[in-house]
Amino acid sequence: MPALRTAIALLLSLHVALPALAQPPPEPWEPGVRHLPLSPSATGEVPELRITPGLALTVEFDSKVRPLRQGGVELEERGRFRLVSLDEEGRVLTLVLVPGEVPDKPPRLTVHFADGAVPASAAFRLVAHPAQAETHVQVYRQPRSAEVCCAQADVEREKARRCLVELERTRAEASARGATGLIGLRAQGLLDTKEGVRTQALEDATLTRAPTNALELGEATVFRSAAPPRQAGERHVRVAVLLRLEGPGAGDWKAEGAQLAFPGGAVRTVTVSQSPSRFPGFTEVMVETELTQEEARGRFTLKLWDASGTRTVTLGGITFP
């Protein structure tokens, strides 16, 4: 029970006086397929592609690439990659970075097209990231069809809609920030007669741990509350995971970011809060996000990483009350 009371107090304090939050990535990241058009002049900044060690990155081109044996693909630090393959049609390039490998600087990837049209080649920078990988990138060298353009427009409209929803939520929280305790939670729309604040300690046997985890798990507690009401659409809830992590150097380990993933996707917006360590042997990290009621019934995998991206903590089998 003392651990439960401590966990609830942490949830309340998260909405009353927010501690320093981990900084977001320098560039926006969205799960799913990325659409990347090439400039005919092939000038300007070299686009970056995020790749996670051990996870395949598939780059699909609308023009044929010269075969590997003819120098169609040039890749710096080739020895750090477990797989570099091009399909028989020369349009799908697959790359797999060796697990645990983090290059000192982003390797440069250059592909050379087979038709001699411009641009004759395309260059990219492969940025290693422990979680926010791009698994499928579609590169457009030729003018795109109306169908493809319409699909991309739908994606951009959905992004704009989510931005407006997030702006509305942020404004509501800012206006209620002067209230404290349960009153503050109620003012932000996080309490109602149906939801309240539910909390549950996760059973150790139901959780999975990655063998490469930098720290051991001491305790895991999950939370669920109401979410600020929306004008339309499916009802949402706010969920959080509180982890007590233990091990040598735990007091100095700082969570730089987090990803909450489910089968076939990942949650787009996740907030990370880490309490100052009172002892050298452990630290507490809390991760919070907003889900639909249907999504909140699923099973999730949480991944945390530090600034170097090499010391990670992955915990699977997470469910919310």
Side-chain angles (χ1 to χ4, degrees):
M1 291 302 294
L4 179 59
R5 288 194 294 270
T6 300
I8 294 176
L10 282 170
L11 178 64
L12 296 177
S13 65
L14 182 63
H15 295 283
V16 176
L18 288 174
L21 303 179
Q23 294 297 317
E27 294 182 2
W29 172 80
E30 292 282 348
V33 179
R34 176 184 175 190
H35 303 273
L36 182 60
L38 295 180
S39 169
S41 61
T43 60
E45 296 183 1
V46 177
E48 294 183 349
L49 306 179
R50 285 195 175 112
I51 184 171
T52 289
L55 186 64
L57 166 63
T58 300
V59 187
E60 182 179 355
F61 299 92
D62 64 351
S63 300
K64 186 175 181 179
V65 177
R66 294 206 314 253
L68 295 178
R69 63 179 180 275
Q70 297 179 15
V73 177
E74 298 178 32
L75 179 61
E76 295 179 347
E77 301 194 58
R78 174 65 179 83
R80 294 181 181 269
F81 289 80
R82 172 188 290 176
L83 175 67
V84 179
S85 69
L86 190 66
D87 73 334
E88 293 182 358
E89 296 184 359
R91 294 178 182 270
V92 180
L93 175 65
T94 304
L95 304 168
V96 179
L97 189 62
V98 173
E101 288 285 349
V102 179
D104 296 332
K105 64 177 183 178
R108 187 182 182 94
L109 167 69
T110 304
V111 297
H112 301 277
F113 298 107
D115 57 8
V118 293
S121 62
F124 311 89
R125 289 288 183 186
L126 300 177
V127 180
H129 194 281
Q132 293 180 347
E134 294 175 306
T135 56
H136 191 179
V137 179
Q138 292 183 343
V139 178
Y140 299 100
R141 178 169 170 255
Q142 306 294 341
R144 291 180 285 175
S145 67
E147 181 180 355
V148 172
C149 290
C150 288
Q152 181 63 14
D154 290 340
V155 172
E156 296 301 325
R157 278 193 292 268
E158 174 60 18
K159 289 182 181 179
R161 187 194 66 80
R162 290 199 303 268
C163 288
L164 290 175
V165 170
E166 182 66 17
L167 177 60
E168 180 181 344
R169 184 183 67 82
T170 302
R171 285 174 174 171
E173 291 183 354
S175 64
R177 194 161 293 161
T180 60
L182 295 176
I183 295 176
L185 292 179
R186 180 68 180 87
Q188 295 177 55
L190 301 176
L191 289 179
D192 62 22
T193 56
K194 294 182 179 180
E195 286 290 348
V197 177
R198 306 181 194 178
T199 183
Q200 177 183 341
L202 294 179
E203 298 291 335
D204 188 77
T206 65
L207 301 175
T208 60
R209 300 161 176 79
T212 56
N213 279 356
L215 300 173
E216 295 292 330
L217 175 67
E219 296 178 354
T221 306
V222 289
F223 305 87
R224 170 176 167 154
S225 74
R230 297 166 180 260
Q231 294 181 350
E234 188 174 357
R235 185 178 177 84
H236 284 61
V237 296
R238 191 74 66 88
V239 297
V241 184
L242 174 66
L243 302 180
R244 174 176 170 142
L245 303 174
E246 304 174 346
D252 298 324
W253 186 85
K254 302 299 181 184
E256 180 71 14
Q259 181 190 69
L260 192 64
F262 51 87
V267 181
R268 292 181 175 85
T269 304
V270 178
T271 300
V272 185
S273 174
Q274 185 168 4
S275 303
S277 179
R278 292 172 291 175
F279 303 99
F282 81 91
T283 186
E284 290 183 333
V285 180
M286 196 166 189
V287 176
E288 181 182 3
T289 191
E290 193 170 300
L291 302 172
T292 66
Q293 288 185 324
E294 181 64 27
E295 290 171 336
R297 298 188 183 101
R299 189 174 295 269
F300 296 83
T301 297
L302 175 62
K303 186 167 188 177
L304 304 169
W305 58 87
D306 66 353
S308 70
T310 58
R311 302 187 67 201
T312 62
V313 175
T314 302
L315 185 66
I318 294 174
T319 57
F320 297 102

